[in-house]
Amino acid sequence: MRTEFFPTLDLQAVFVAPWVEMFGWNFQIALMGFLVCLACGLIGNFVVARRLALVGDAISHSLLPGIAIAFLLTASRSMPAMFAGAAVAAVLTTLFIEFIHRKSRVKPDAAIGIVFTTLFAVGMVVISRGLGDVHLDADCVLYGEIGFTPLQDSIVWFGIALGPRPLVAMAGMTLVDILLVIVFYRQLLVTSFDSGLARSLGMPVNVVHYGLMIALAFTIVAAFEAVGVVLVIAMLIFPAVTASFFVERLPSLLWSVAPLSVAYSLGGFHLSMWLDCSIAGAMVVVAGFLFLVAWALGPKGGLIHHPRFRAVFLAKSKIERPPEGSVHLP
Amino acid sequence: MSPKGLRPKSDWRPKCAFLLFACGFWLAFPAVAQAARIGDAIETDWREQALRFLSLRDVAVRNVVLGTICMGISCGLFGGYVVARRLALFGDTLSHAVLPGVALGFLWSHTKNPLYIFIGAAAAGLLGTVVVAWIQKTTRIKEDSALGLVLSGFYAIGICLLTVIQKMEYGDQSGIDSFLFGQAAALSLEDVQLMGVVAFGALVMVILFRKELLLTSFDEGFARSVGVPVEFMRYLLLLGLTFAVVTSLQAVGVVLVSALLITPAATAYLLTDRMATLLILSACFGVAGGVLGAFVSFLGSNLPTGPLMVLACSAFFGLAFFFGPKHGLTARWARLRHRSRQVLLENTLKASYHVLEQNGFATESISIGALAGRRRVSVAEARREADDLLAAGFITLVKKGEPSPRLSQDVLFTLAPSGWERACQIVRNHRLWELYLTNEARYAADHVHEDAEKIEHVLGEDVVRQLERILKNPRHDPHGKLIPSMEDIERMAPRDHAPEPTAGYFRRA
């Protein structure tokens, strides 16, 4: 039990001790965080470019009934069943949103809101009723527990202990995501930024769209035990948006996911060591902090380059330009 | 013009009555809520439980019901504007962004004091809206990403604070989890009072600023031009929205509050076209969904309240989506089906007219074979179409006392008065439109037929009059055929005494 909110910052205990004592344990946690950020960040760049950030949010919520029903049917936490349930849920979510928005006068944003809350509620009811002894904690769904990663039973492959199951699954998913981005780079690039051109080049725009949604669903399934459904969104959006204050081209954006992931995972790990709070939450807090720094100082559109800021704080003369769209009267 | 000047002077009376009613409601319910002692929750069978809920015997039940009613009203009213202004995902962001405020309010008061939590959460929610606005104003980040950033960033801070709080030495920290998933059973009297105040405020705000909110929701430019303080209304709405979200957290939880904002209002949106009706319906659906969800969760043991309330609201939405009288899917489908049947009937009538015209109106009777040739369908199909016409009373079969013909194609029929009238109208619409396209819109004469095929079924009488006026009561269409006129339609003789000379176009010709 603790009494004060901010414990005194003991540098030795926060920064050195974790890597001296129980190195393997803490390394696995940090590695898991890194892999989650990396996989989500790669997919997230395309999600942000397509303005699907909130569709991603919706999908991450509505995976819950898919996973919960897969649990119910197989009565185990088998990975294939979870992935199948998640893929079905993801495709159904996008189809439902399209259906409601096409077949009635409900606007797309309201359709997204209705679909994901309904599916999430179904998942919550299923979890609270039917799962019995299978472990799927409601708290875990909302904010995950990355700290339990090393506790899971380890996967042994040809006599070599690879590591805990979630870590291996996440590593595999990250590898798949990287391969997908490399193999389908052209298709993803063109469909994300100019779907008209993509169509005229004969690219299967819809296939790419649904493929991306399924890849997103798989990544979220692999990650959600660690970070929960809401924080996955942060991992999708923050790397892409933060990097966009420094670089502009897609390859650079994709490359910059790696250093940002290292920063998020290590920063979050040590912050949670200090405050003794949720590791996933701390990772996103670090991500948010880095975003604020980038927003303030970034060379591409940061606040210090904003004309109004320069006028006020750097004592430069105001730029004599009429606001956009105004008509200059003689 | 001042905002006050917008309101007509005559409608103060219903407004005052409504305000009085709202005041009474607000004053009455804490008294009611205090009237009985807290009943102990004992596991009983569902009938007993249902009776307990419906009779409102327990204070706990009464708190839940009053709380959900207030929640339904405030969320439903603000939800109407949320859906109309396309702020649905903004509501979602807001509901996640209040979480750190909840935690800070808890840290501040060291108990689950609703007022401190309310203040903290409202502050966090408003900060979230301001940050979204700043991001959109100063960067190139798109709206959805900006909302996602604030949603997940604030939520993460809240999660960190909550996990810290769970490890701290506080006396009463039970129920802090209920903010995540909602637990209507944990509603205290103070919670319900706060919800009542917010619901009352929502009512007052919506009534007082009815016109302003309506204008700014649908036409900001116009609202600004008549002097409505658009920015002020926007922030007032967001403030009210934040309050509604914060007070509802207890009952449904952070993730699902947005459903209470969006779903009842979207349901109402499927049922009506008027804003006032939409708001009332939306509040009703919010109340009904909330109470139904609370009822079901009360019946079953250990069922989460929030998700059930959301599912109840979604069920209402599903019903409206499929069976709504005006915009429902089945109603649309039935309209479409009726429309296409109508078009088929009219096309058959038109073909019958063409058959008569081909004969120079020398005979009255039309054979199914000729109809099939004209329609370019098989005889069996033409027979089926003629049967449809017969069922609709547009034609009569010719029976001359002789045994009925062995082959369908030799069956003869004549147009009944109503059929003749409709056929003339359709042919007239078609030819008038062709003429209009060639003469006024300068189409080539061989390009106008397809267009006229579609428009002939939807031209109303007033448009036809207008076309006739523009075209100066024409007699011939671009292909040289005669256009049936009003006289032809009226000159139709009743078919009962058959040997009368055939009415039709040939007379005028």
Side-chain angles (χ1 to χ4, degrees), chain A residues 5 51 53 103 105 107 118, chain B residues 142 144 161 269 272-273 314:
Chain A
F5 185 80
R51 306 190 186 185
K103 295 284 174 185
R105 55 199 207 129
K107 308 285 185 305
T118 306
Chain B
K142 306 292 180 302
D144 63 325
L161 292 175
Y269 186 57
T272 176
D273 293 331
S314 303

Side-chain angles (χ1 to χ4, degrees), chain B residues 279-295:
Chain B
L279 290 177
I280 294 169
L281 276 180
S282 157
C284 290
F285 282 123
V287 169
V291 174
L292 190 62
F295 179 64

Side-chain angles (χ1 to χ4, degrees), chain B residues 442-461:
Chain B
R442 302 274 162 220
Y443 273 47
D446 53 344
H447 276 70
V448 293
H449 177 76
E450 280 72 28
D451 213 3
E453 276 292 293
K454 287 179 199 142
I455 206 97
E456 65 191 13
H457 304 287
V458 292
L459 281 184
E461 280 302 311

